[in-house]
Amino acid sequence: MEYFSEREGSLVPRDKELLTDAARDGIGVLIRVRAANHSFALDYPIRCNRCSHREISRSNEQDFWDALGAVVPELKGWPRDRLPSGISQEEPLSPLQIYDAIEFCYSRVAKPREVRVETNRISDMILLSASRALGDAPRHIHLSLDKTVGRKEFREDIEEIFRRNGMAYQLTEEGRVERLLPPEFDDLAAVGESRTEEDELDRLLNTAWTKFRDPSLETRREALEALWDAWERLKTTWPGRDKKAQAAAMLNDAAGTDSPKFLRALEKEASELTLLGNNLRIRHSETTQEILATSEHVDYMFLRMSSLIRLILSARQMVGVQT
């Protein structure tokens, strides 16, 4: 829902990459509530033993918690336990494991609705004879479970927490927790969906942008490697006797015949980015190479290379380069 402050234009910038304690606790509440109200009964059912259909009557909460703990063991009992065992302020619960828990729950959640069943089948009546002898009415509860609605509501609740805490993350309809890209990347995101008729180039670009949206800084560093590999691959899609001639033809086409100064700027930028890819820990992992220490450093390098690649891809389309 939209709150008063938001309607009045007081929007919290969604630029925080650290998971706040309030957001973590709120996510824990969402998961505990759904575990208690049988939202995970499709995957962890207890079936009705009062009728022959064996329909789902409730969820097996213990099975759900055991499964979550097995898939994400680093949670150490969270969120079933509000305070994870063995976790201290000096070694807090990792946000990455919490995002794993969100994805786990999204894949299994469904909207539960109680359906009161009036037993009238002969076989059911036989099964219920013992209950009747104890005075029980031949009436009981089954669950109707809607996965589409359950996922939608779970996603909306997670989005509300992310939004209200200014977090730069979203839960997609595919069930992935992804980073919201800074605004300067809005016009570049289509690069990751490019269709160049060169399958390996498309794969590298898609891999780079998929990893760049990942919450993990280490995975975003891997995105740079894929992007630089795409850059090297892109050079070889131009005609020419060797890679050097192909790269020169590529930059010439990107600059156009009437922009010699811009061509020199492109040549300088291409040379510097190639050098940075070799000297920083982007394409290689020698001990002499400097790691990109922060998310902002990774963003800067990704933005520079993506901008150049977008320019080249536009030129490629205009001049009709054939692979």
Side-chain angles (χ1 to χ4, degrees), residues 205-224:
L205 290 172
N206 182 264
T207 297
W209 278 88
T210 298
K211 289 189 173 185
F212 187 58
R213 292 184 174 95
D214 197 273
S216 166
L217 178 57
E218 183 57 40
T219 302
R220 300 207 296 273
R221 291 191 184 108
E222 294 173 5
L224 289 175

Side-chain angles (χ1 to χ4, degrees), residues 80-322:
R80 184 178 194 176
D81 303 321
R82 292 173 182 268
L83 295 176
S85 61
I87 296 294
S88 65
Q89 292 288 355
E90 292 73 25
E91 186 187 0
L93 192 62
S94 168
L96 299 183
Q97 274 71 61
I98 294 176
Y99 300 149
D100 283 349
I102 290 173
E103 293 184 357
F104 176 93
C105 292
Y106 181 85
S107 70
R108 293 159 171 81
V109 73
K111 175 74 171 180
R113 183 173 65 88
E114 289 188 349
V115 179
R116 188 170 294 276
V117 180
E118 182 76 39
T119 303
N120 56 16
R121 291 180 176 83
I122 294 176
S123 59
D124 294 343
M125 299 296 283
I126 293 172
L127 287 170
L128 286 172
S129 59
S131 297
R132 260 203 224 93
L134 297 174
D136 290 346
R139 213 174 249 209
H140 53 289
I141 299 298
H142 290 169
L143 287 180
S144 170
L145 293 146
D146 189 322
K147 205 156 196 172
T148 300
V149 175
R151 285 180 170 180
K152 178 178 180 293
E153 292 183 354
F154 182 74
R155 183 166 168 257
E156 288 173 349
D157 287 346
I158 292 293
E159 167 64 15
E160 184 175 59
I161 290 174
F162 284 165
R163 186 184 79 248
R164 296 291 294 177
N165 286 271
M167 296 183 60
Y169 297 102
Q170 63 178 343
L171 177 60
T172 69
E173 291 182 0
E174 293 74 31
R176 290 173 55 92
V177 175
E178 291 186 349
R179 188 170 70 126
L180 289 174
L181 301 184
E184 55 267 27
F185 288 91
D186 289 348
D187 293 335
L188 292 172
V191 171
E193 301 174 358
S194 297
R195 296 293 178 267
T196 66
E197 299 181 1
E198 215 284 324
D199 291 345
E200 181 61 13
L201 176 59
D202 290 346
R203 185 191 70 80
L204 288 168
L205 290 172
N206 182 264
T207 297
W209 278 88
T210 298
K211 289 189 173 185
F212 187 58
R213 292 184 174 95
D214 197 273
S216 166
L217 178 57
E218 183 57 40
T219 302
R220 300 207 296 273
R221 291 191 184 108
E222 294 173 5
L224 289 175
E225 180 181 5
L227 192 64
W228 255 254
D229 286 346
W231 167 244
E232 295 301 322
R233 181 83 181 188
L234 181 58
K235 296 176 187 177
T236 64
T237 64
W238 251 260
R241 65 183 180 276
D242 54 34
K243 190 175 182 179
K244 184 176 181 180
Q246 290 172 305
M250 177 183 72
L251 295 176
N252 272 307
D253 285 339
T257 56
D258 299 325
S259 306
K261 292 182 180 179
F262 185 62
L263 173 60
R264 289 195 292 274
L266 281 185
E267 290 171 340
K268 182 179 180 181
E269 176 73 349
S271 176
E272 286 184 355
L273 287 173
T274 298
L275 188 64
L276 286 169
N278 291 328
N279 289 337
L280 296 174
R281 195 176 299 176
I282 293 177
R283 300 194 69 212
H284 307 285
S285 300
E286 285 81 356
T287 56
T288 56
Q289 291 166 323
E290 180 178 299
I291 194 169
L292 291 163
T294 70
S295 180
E296 289 77 14
H297 295 175
V298 173
D299 285 354
Y300 172 74
M301 295 303 300
F302 200 93
L303 181 63
R304 279 186 68 178
M305 179 57 86
S306 293
S307 298
L308 181 57
I309 288 177
R310 183 179 67 167
L311 175 66
I312 301 301
L313 289 177
S314 297
R316 189 177 187 274
Q317 188 175 20
M318 285 187 293
V319 301
V321 173
Q322 300 296 317

